[in-house]
Amino acid sequence: LLNTTGMSLYRNTVWFLKGLQEYTKGGYEAAARLFNEADLEVNVSGRSFIITGANSGIGKAAACEIAKRGGTVHMVCRNEDRANEARKDVVEQSKNENVHVHLVDMSSPRKVWEFASGFSQNHNLHVLINNAGCMVNQRELTEDGLEKNFATNTLGMYILTTALIPTLKKSENPRVITVSSGGMLVQKLNVEDLQFEKGSFDGTMAYAQNKRQQVIMTEQWAAQHKEIHFSSMHPGWADTPAVQSSMPDFHERMKNKLRTEAQGADTVVWLAISDAASRQPSGLFFQDRKAVSTHLPLASSRSSPAEDQKLMSKLEELAVKFKC
């Protein structure tokens, strides 16, 4: 049996080779040959969509595609100027004025609770797209004393989703889509150190651990809330501002092979609007419009049901502390 270091080297190598074949622009083009274009020929006017982190990259590309098809889009962003700029672009490209900006810092649990309760009182919601994310390469704490990656990628998403579940349940054909990452394949859930207090800190691995947590949350919610269709997905390796700033070396090395933002967003849009997606079982992990395994072969990355349950209890415990 491989020791822990050997196992993580094995996982990282297998994952990178898989990525070169599947997560690149070439991987997308090969997969897209099997897409049914009619899947996205839908009119979603009258349906309401929240997209977090919608001011650039995959979130903005998804906002654009959904607005073009008549959806009411609520862009949840942190930076006001960038958000208004993005809204202007989305409206121009889609000729749809039903695009609204909400300013929320997803790393602040109180702000997330506040937003969700205000939104629920004033709007209906059919689809929640959890796309906001960050990869902070040093261990940084928020003003609440939470590790920043965990606060944004895991706890913020947990609070937003659980707070909006009652509103989603009132709608027809409600869906929750979470933009995870294939990077989660290199991580096994570690429920004993959610905020990376032990050992040396590695931002990329912290991010991958958060992305594993998102997949598990999706599976858990799907089992609990049968009325809502939950899914998580991997956008592939896309050329987004977030990749450029968080992973400059990777971006430099891979830039000619990276997907466009629209290619990265394709499965998000497909999961959010197509009938074909809602016919898939709830709780699955998708890549290029297909459900795929959440584990690499022989990678010992599976957690036990008890560990998965412990993750949910710990998040609930933390979330309640910050409830307004």
Side-chain angles (χ1 to χ4, degrees), residues 187-190 196 205-213:
Q187 287 282 309
K188 179 185 179 194
L189 175 68
N190 177 5
F196 315 106
M205 288 303 125
Y207 177 83
Q209 175 68 212
N210 297 157
K211 295 290 155 180
R212 167 64 72 191
Q213 291 158 358

Side-chain angles (χ1 to χ4, degrees), residues 245-266:
S245 62
S246 306
M247 304 173 74
D249 298 349
F250 175 79
H251 182 264
E252 189 49 43
R253 206 168 70 224
M254 298 296 293
K255 62 176 181 238
N256 301 326
K257 292 189 169 70
L258 297 177
R259 298 177 173 205
T260 64
E261 292 169 344
Q263 290 171 340
D266 175 81

